[in-house]
Amino acid sequence: DAGVIQSPRHEVTEMGQEVTLRCKPISGHNSLFWYRQTMMRGLELLIYFNNNVPIDDSGMPEDRFSAKMPNASFSTLKIQPSEPRDSAVYFCASSLGGYEYGYTFGSGTRLTVV
Amino acid sequence: GNSVTQMEGPVTLSEEAFLTINCTYTATGYPSLFWYVQYPGEGLQLLLKATKADDKGSNKGFEATYRKETTSFHLEKGSVQVSDSAVYFCALSDPQGGSEKLVFGKGTKLTVNP
């Protein structure tokens, strides 16, 4: 299995531009999570899906952020418009679902907004 | 609510030293417990887990025992290597928490010097 695949690995964009991050979860995993990691705030859960349905988006910072999961093999996290304070590493993770399995994380997308 | 408290780092050790990273938790239910490791520039990887009291998770020479009486899940390794330098995260998943979300500690950075 190729694991959780995220793209791009690195993204540099100008303030005000739209940014789209992509994630392909492990086949057969029912749950998908988007995290943001910064030095100041550590790991933050932004949103999670179960069976392609958003379950909890309470961590999404503001309306500039949106996430979709149109099918079981693909999810996107979009920031529009982007701001310098959005600079962070964004991780996607997937899970079989349930409380015993833990998550498998992707390698992350390092976003820099200038 | 549920929470995880890890010892603050950074931790610096010499090669072949004994490692302990303390982790205690608060949970409303009977959680599953996890240790994740993040190597520089990578995503988090599941290192080990335990799902019930007195279970011992182990992997790559690391061990942690689920202690319900002390609500702890301390990570240990008898002889660390330079390649163990990374950030270690303790986490829990609580069936009575209402969702399968993992609650993470803030992470402990370990540096092992030759």
Side-chain angles (χ1 to χ4, degrees), chain A residues 31 37 56 99-100 103, chain B residues 36 38 49 99-102:
Chain A
S31 297
Q37 187 178 39
D56 184 349
Y99 303 97
E100 299 183 348
Y103 305 165
Chain B
Y36 283 81
Q38 184 177 29
K49 67 178 183 180
S99 77
E100 63 179 290
K101 289 190 295 187
L102 280 176

Side-chain angles (χ1 to χ4, degrees), chain B residues 3-96:
Chain B
S3 65
V4 173
T5 303
Q6 289 182 235
M7 63 185 287
E8 295 213 5
V11 174
T12 302
L13 297 173
S14 297
E15 207 165 22
E16 299 184 2
F18 184 85
L19 168 71
T20 300
I21 300 178
N22 291 337
C23 171
T24 56
Y25 68 89
T26 302
T28 53
Y30 203 168
S32 296
L33 301 172
F34 306 85
W35 276 102
Y36 283 81
V37 58
Q38 184 177 29
Y39 299 104
E42 299 183 13
L44 281 72
Q45 301 175 23
L46 179 62
L47 181 60
L48 54 83
K49 67 178 183 180
T51 58
K52 59 183 186 294
D54 300 324
D55 265 3
K56 178 185 285 187
S58 62
N59 186 22
K60 299 182 181 178
F62 291 89
E63 293 182 342
T65 301
Y66 190 146
R67 300 289 187 200
K68 188 172 185 294
E69 63 275 14
T70 55
T71 62
S72 64
F73 193 54
H74 304 322
L75 182 68
E76 296 182 336
K77 186 175 186 182
S79 176
V80 294
Q81 305 301 311
V82 172
S83 57
D84 294 326
S85 297
V87 180
Y88 292 82
F89 293 88
C90 186
L92 72 80
S93 177
D94 184 358
Q96 290 190 314

Side-chain angles (χ1 to χ4, degrees), chain A residues 28 40 48 51-52 54-55 64 71 78 85 88-90 93 109:
Chain A
M40 291 295 294
Y48 94 89
N51 291 324
N52 313 336
I55 303 299
R64 297 185 297 106
N71 56 62
K78 186 177 294 186
R85 60 193 168 115
V89 181
Y90 291 81
T109 295

Side-chain angles (χ1 to χ4, degrees), chain A residues 9-112:
Chain A
R9 285 300 308 272
H10 302 274
E11 176 80 35
V12 180
T13 191
E14 291 185 347
M15 183 173 64
Q17 295 298 306
E18 178 180 294
V19 175
T20 300
L21 310 182
R22 297 172 175 80
C23 176
K24 177 179 169 54
I26 291 175
S27 177
H29 280 193
N30 299 322
S31 297
L32 184 140
F33 307 82
W34 282 101
Y35 280 85
R36 177 171 68 177
Q37 187 178 39
T38 61
M39 290 292 292
M40 291 295 294
R41 296 184 175 181
L43 269 172
E44 301 175 276
L45 176 64
L46 300 177
I47 186 171
Y48 94 89
F49 296 85
N50 183 261
N51 291 324
N52 313 336
V53 175
I55 303 299
D56 184 349
D57 65 354
S58 59
M60 295 287 262
E62 48 198 275
D63 291 345
R64 297 185 297 106
F65 286 69
S66 62
K68 294 182 179 179
M69 192 165 185
N71 56 62
S73 59
F74 185 65
S75 177
T76 59
L77 178 68
K78 186 177 294 186
I79 308 172
Q80 165 64 18
S82 57
E83 296 182 4
R85 60 193 168 115
D86 301 330
S87 297
V89 181
Y90 291 81
F91 289 104
C92 176
S94 69
S95 168
L96 280 168
Y99 303 97
E100 299 183 348
Y101 301 108
Y103 305 165
T104 301
F105 281 79
S107 298
T109 295
R110 180 173 296 276
L111 174 65
T112 303

